[in-house]
Amino acid sequence: MTPDEHRAMRESLGDHAMGRLEGHELATLEAHLQGCPACREELAEVASVLPALGRVDPDRLDHTPAPPPDLGDRIVAAARAERPASAGARTRNRWAPVAAAAAAALLVGGVAGYLVGDHDGIPREPVAVQAMDPTVQATAVAIPHTWGVEIVLDGDGFRSGATYRVVVEAEDGREVSAGEFIGTGASPMVCNLNSSVLRADAEEFRVVDVAGSTVLRGSLAT
Ligand SMILES: [Zn+2]
């Protein structure tokens, strides 16, 4: 599997979760999924939202909680979440079909479409990220915990063997460590980074290399 192939496959995961792939495209993706745990995990994450979107029952609308006021923003954030830093490059986003379905569901019945679903009842929120290093391709989600915000960073292109540290900047300017990781080069990496800054107080997170340069930043501004 080449990184390019992996990238192309990841872009079709949203369509796959919606059942929109067929024939050769479907066969190719399924073959890739067999050998790629990162894509299987990503597919499970994308697919986890879909049941929430399908739960539009007209008879129960009175009991359906109102959509969160920031849902529109979150759809936009999801659509931006994995835009590559290289200017002008157009990449299909695997969340795009899901975001479109969420928007459609809202038009139909005002369902509470929690865009990225949740794991164990804890919402996962896509974070808009910007890579300063063009070889870095990454997406991120933020998970609010009672003890602070967790960032799940999913990407590749971080220099193999190099140490990176991750800091969360709070609204008051404090910079708090969210841990470190070692780059895996072209191999996909999913990394959980935990900080003691509460989600509501977090402004952004940054991935910093050993030289102190920021290679990636993600907006946590609300
Ligand atoms: Zn893959």
Side-chain angles (χ1 to χ4, degrees):
M1 174 190 65
T2 67
D4 277 354
E5 179 191 311
H6 170 69
R7 232 164 250 165
M9 292 296 116
R10 283 194 356 170
E11 286 161 14
S12 56
L13 290 176
D15 281 328
H16 184 51
M18 306 280 292
R20 289 182 182 161
L21 294 186
E22 47 192 22
H24 177 70
E25 268 192 320
L26 179 60
T28 309
L29 179 61
E30 286 187 334
H32 178 79
L33 286 171
Q34 294 273 325
C36 185
C39 279
R40 286 202 300 273
E41 191 175 313
E42 187 74 33
L43 177 62
E45 191 180 313
V46 174
S48 69
V49 213
L50 297 178
L53 297 179
R55 223 181 287 137
V56 187
D57 180 348
D59 294 330
R60 297 196 57 229
L61 278 183
D62 285 347
H63 308 286
T64 305
D70 64 340
L71 184 61
D73 294 341
R74 291 161 67 186
I75 289 173
V76 172
R80 285 179 178 156
E82 102 165 25
R83 187 162 295 171
S86 45
R90 188 185 170 281
T91 303
R92 264 176 72 220
N93 186 308
R94 62 194 183 279
W95 288 104
V98 179
L106 282 172
L107 289 174
V108 169
V111 68
Y114 291 102
L115 188 59
V116 292
D118 55 52
H119 290 231
D120 307 323
I122 301 174
R124 296 165 71 94
E125 167 198 0
V127 174
V129 298
Q130 184 190 7
M132 282 67 191
D133 179 340
T135 61
V136 169
Q137 293 267 323
T139 59
V141 297
I143 306 174
H145 294 285
T146 52
W147 41 259
V149 65
E150 175 183 0
I151 307 292
V152 182
L153 184 63
D154 177 353
D156 56 64
F158 295 99
R159 209 147 51 78
S160 185
T163 301
Y164 295 86
R165 58 195 178 84
V166 180
V167 296
V168 170
E169 185 181 316
E171 281 173 341
D172 61 10
R174 274 181 309 135
E175 282 194 358
V176 177
S177 172
E180 297 185 334
F181 65 88
I182 293 173
T184 56
S187 304
M189 169 200 90
V190 179
C191 187
N192 297 58
L193 301 146
N194 295 302
S195 93
S196 62
V197 178
L198 291 171
R199 172 65 193 93
D201 298 333
E203 189 71 17
E204 70 169 16
F205 79 89
R206 288 192 291 275
V207 176
V208 181
D209 67 15
V210 282
S213 300
T214 297
V215 295
L216 180 124
R217 62 188 343 134
S219 173
L220 298 168
T222 49

